[in-house]
Amino acid sequence: MARASFDRAAALHRLRNDDFDVLVVGGGITGAGVALDAVTRGLRTALVERDDFASGTSSRSSKLIHGGLRYLDQREFRLVSEALAERQRLIENAPHLVTILPFLVPVIAGEGTRLRRFAPALRAGLWLYDLTGGIRIGRRHQRLAIDDAIAHVPTLARDRLRGAFVYFDAHADDARLTLTVARTAAAHGAAVANRVAVEGFVKHADRVEGVRMRTTDTGEVFTVRARAVVNAAGIWADDVRALDEGAHPSSMQPAKGVHVTVPWSLLRNDLAMVLPVPGDARSVFVIPWGDRTYIGTTDTAYGGPLDSPRSSAADVQYLLGAVRSATTVAIDADDVVASWAGLRPLLRGAGRARTADLSRRHAVHTSPTGVVTVTGGKLTTYRRMAADAVDAAQRLLPGRGEPSATKAVRLLGSEGIPAPAAAIPDPGPPPRPTRSEHLAHRYGSEADAVDALARTIPDGDAPLVPGLPYLKAEAVHAVREEMAGSVDDVLSRRTRALLLDRDATAAAAPAVATLVAHELGWDAAREKAEAAAFAEIVAAERW
Ligand code: FAD
């Protein structure tokens, strides 16, 4: 597929002037997936996101493309099987973005869930995971000798280690995956724009026939004509339903999840790990990411403001406690170099006291006026959710469009890139990616464009944030080609600098504001205000 133009001004022009079959509200992974599914069925499709792509939950996940081993404990066999099938499709359709990740599961004396505490129960769970679809990754789980486990993670507490297993799942930068799905939808012909909020519905004879919008940067108000609307607004989906139905349905129970980042050198885990949480039935993931490791996640019911979930000192201690109890590292809050908090858009479940026990399934609801709402689900299952939502939208559009085709739609950048293979690496520090490996992993077959830009613009090859692998050219590319419109877009989502090193990113932000200002024609006052706005975002992630 050719490189796509991802032009906001052109998309806004189309939104004001064209008629659409399907208008998608929300530019998280679900909305981006819906837009791609709809446009590849031959439907005239538009997508609007009120802030930035993936600025909601879809940039704040654990970044695992997985079936979810723990959902087997909850007997969610169908969910796991569906998610594992989707994992495999993503490995094939986005091989540049998805990495296969071996997970070490230590059996630790006296701690954890039933599954984690007893080797035979754990082994049975891993067999079930393989049989439910895990095996499609090309390797089944295996037992690891204690010496081998220590070789891969020298900081594990040997005196408490009773055994270890390795199984395989996958990892992807969630915000980049979301952006790539949205760009792929645009490349197939969808009109896609960020910073456009839905504020109301236009109805005729009790059927929706349009949506009222406001651009959140300039305040322009206009109406978009659309025969069907898909509400994919994540934890805000009930708010959008209320605009249509007149009453707030309260169908969701947001659950907060926090992650913290520490230097890789502290834990030296060359495999990802699943560690039990002392005194809780849950486990946490410990995931190497370049020369950092992140630890997550908490899972607590949340009743605060949806726009600004924050990590708390108690969240951080919960995560570090799990690491302390399985390793010899006296890790504490001072070791944390970054953190992020997100809200899971879970469906309210009768009789389930803990959010960790609420199902990760999704639901599709069609209102009497013709608004299809898709809620729940996971990053991994976005394609399936999107197909179900567009099936429902298509029922409102008799005679329009084909069946879903996205099982075989490859994402932009995947051209010529083979699917990654599952393997256990040799023990030792993760290899430092070269400049071209770094670009290939982020842009796939589109990396040449960024490489050429880095060689053309002044200082393009210099680091964007000292100590992190991103280049200044990537910020410029983000503005020119990926619809980035703020310092936060560049440092939180187009790159993941803020999640990897909060203080270094905060220090680099004024220079990044200058770069973005130059591209977008901001004056000095705007540049200062944008840098200050980012400083506030950073300050909010201190606990
Ligand atoms: P969102 O990403 O929140 O997108 C909704 C979008 O709608 C937002 O960008 C918002 O700005 C926009 N919007 C809202 N109102 C309007 C409006 N009026 N007009 C226009 N736009 C609007 N899943 C996995 O598969 N693997 C994992 O490892 C994993 N880990 C997770 C860890 C945590 C801590 C959390 C919180 C979730 C995790 N998930 C994981 C789940 C996954 O991240 C979510 O299911 C998914 O990101 C939800 O995407 P979404 O598009 O539905 O919602």
Side-chain angles (χ1 to χ4, degrees):
M1 196 186 303
R3 259 183 69 212
S5 143
F6 197 50
D7 181 340
R8 182 168 180 264
L12 287 176
H13 180 80
R14 285 180 60 198
L15 284 167
R16 286 186 211 103
N17 295 294
D18 290 1
D19 284 346
F20 294 96
D21 293 317
V22 176
L23 178 113
V24 187
V25 186
I29 190 67
T30 310
V34 170
L36 180 59
D37 191 280
V39 77
T40 51
R41 291 184 197 219
L43 298 170
R44 294 167 302 177
T45 303
L47 177 147
V48 293
E49 159 57 48
R50 71 170 172 192
D51 185 347
D52 183 30
F53 306 110
S55 57
T57 305
S58 297
S59 57
R60 299 152 187 266
S61 78
S62 303
K63 310 181 197 326
L64 298 179
I65 305 300
H66 67 160
L69 184 57
R70 79 181 183 85
Y71 306 129
L72 290 176
D73 246 359
Q74 298 170 353
R75 310 183 70 76
E76 291 262 24
F77 304 119
R78 209 186 77 202
L79 174 75
V80 174
S81 157
E82 257 176 39
L84 287 171
E86 291 303 325
R87 182 188 75 178
Q88 206 53 33
R89 286 190 184 113
L90 258 175
I91 290 172
E92 280 153 25
N93 290 332
H96 54 313
L97 299 179
V98 180
T99 314
I100 294 182
L101 204 58
F103 276 82
L104 185 142
V105 195
V107 182
I108 294 172
E111 286 298 356
T113 63
R114 185 176 55 75
L115 212 58
R116 302 282 173 278
R117 208 180 313 148
F118 302 115
L122 176 56
R123 180 137 231 199
L126 289 169
W127 268 117
L128 198 54
Y129 199 61
D130 283 339
L131 293 174
T132 324
I135 193 83
R136 290 196 204 130
I137 212 161
R139 291 277 297 263
R140 63 170 186 81
H141 79 275
Q142 66 185 73
R143 187 187 274 276
L144 215 56
I146 287 184
D147 282 348
D148 290 337
I150 298 282
H152 284 292
V153 189
T155 55
L156 275 175
R158 181 188 275 271
D159 56 335
R160 305 188 54 220
L161 198 58
R162 297 290 176 268
F165 294 92
V166 171
Y167 74 100
F168 296 87
D169 251 324
H171 182 264
D173 173 342
D174 46 7
R176 183 140 288 273
L177 177 65
T178 302
L179 177 76
T180 308
V181 176
R183 288 184 60 240
T184 307
H188 281 275
V192 177
N194 58 5
R195 300 194 158 79
V196 183
V198 167
E199 294 196 331
F201 291 93
V202 180
K203 295 179 185 169
H204 178 72
D206 285 337
R207 280 297 304 269
V208 165
E209 59 173 26
V211 180
R212 275 200 313 283
M213 314 272 176
R214 180 188 296 271
T215 55
T216 51
D217 52 346
T218 61
E220 180 195 348
V221 176
F222 57 97
T223 297
V224 178
R225 292 183 296 273
R227 295 171 66 205
V229 174
V230 178
N231 166 13
I235 42 169
W236 298 274
D238 281 347
D239 297 346
V240 173
R241 274 182 67 179
L243 295 175
D244 168 38
E245 296 167 25
H248 201 276
S250 293
S251 69
M252 312 195 57
Q253 170 57 72
K256 188 176 80 165
V258 166
H259 292 81
V260 296
T261 309
V262 298
W264 181 87
S265 55
L266 208 59
L267 296 173
R268 290 179 287 141
N269 57 319
D270 64 49
L271 304 179
M273 292 193 285
V274 184
L275 297 183
V277 179
D280 197 347
R282 296 190 62 252
S283 339
V284 298
F285 297 118
V286 181
I287 299 175
W289 199 15
D291 57 7
R292 307 286 194 277
T293 286
Y294 64 87
I295 306 157
T297 168
T298 59
D299 194 334
T300 46
Y302 182 80
L306 296 182
D307 289 349
S308 50
R310 307 252 163 101
S311 312
S312 69
D315 295 325
V316 173
Q317 283 312 326
Y318 174 93
L319 297 172
L320 299 184
V323 174
R324 277 194 298 265
S325 84
T327 67
T328 54
V329 184
I331 193 167
D332 71 23
D334 291 340
D335 295 311
V336 172
V337 295
S339 61
W340 67 93
L343 297 177
R344 296 175 185 83
L346 302 183
L347 300 168
R348 216 172 266 288
R352 303 279 180 129
R354 301 181 338 143
T355 53
D357 296 330
L358 288 180
S359 174
R360 268 55 178 169
R361 288 202 198 144
H362 65 273
V364 175
H365 167 272
T366 304
S367 78
T369 62
V371 175
V372 174
T373 297
V374 52
T375 40
K378 292 164 37 123
L379 185 75
T380 310
T381 53
Y382 82 87
R383 194 208 61 81
R384 178 68 189 259
M385 295 171 70
D388 290 351
V390 181
D391 280 348
Q394 222 171 7
R395 286 193 276 276
L396 305 168
L397 305 165
R400 297 282 303 145
E402 305 292 327
S404 176
T406 46
K407 278 184 186 169
V409 172
R410 288 177 66 101
L411 300 189
L412 281 180
S414 64
E415 218 167 70
I417 302 194
I424 301 181
D426 291 335
R432 215 165 229 279
T434 61
R435 176 183 176 284
S436 66
E437 284 166 347
H438 163 77
L439 294 180
H441 183 50
R442 286 172 44 74
Y443 306 95
S445 55
E446 299 181 309
D448 285 354
V450 187
D451 179 45
L453 188 66
R455 294 175 198 281
T456 331
I457 58 171
D459 251 3
D461 238 343
L464 184 66
V465 175
L468 298 180
Y470 306 110
L471 310 177
K472 286 196 170 161
E474 292 183 76
V476 174
H477 178 82
V479 177
R480 291 187 188 170
E481 307 288 343
E482 298 178 342
M483 231 185 266
S486 73
V487 175
D488 186 36
D489 293 354
V490 171
L491 291 174
S492 296
R493 289 173 295 277
R494 302 304 181 280
T495 71
R496 310 316 303 274
L498 185 60
L499 278 55
L500 292 167
D501 194 330
R502 183 187 50 211
D503 292 344
T505 303
V512 175
T514 306
L515 263 183
V516 178
H518 182 72
E519 287 300 310
L520 292 177
W522 291 343
D523 62 15
R526 174 85 188 268
E527 179 184 325
K528 207 169 150 203
E530 294 281 341
F534 184 70
E536 267 181 42
I537 291 170
V538 177
E541 241 336 296
R542 293 183 193 278
W543 57 88

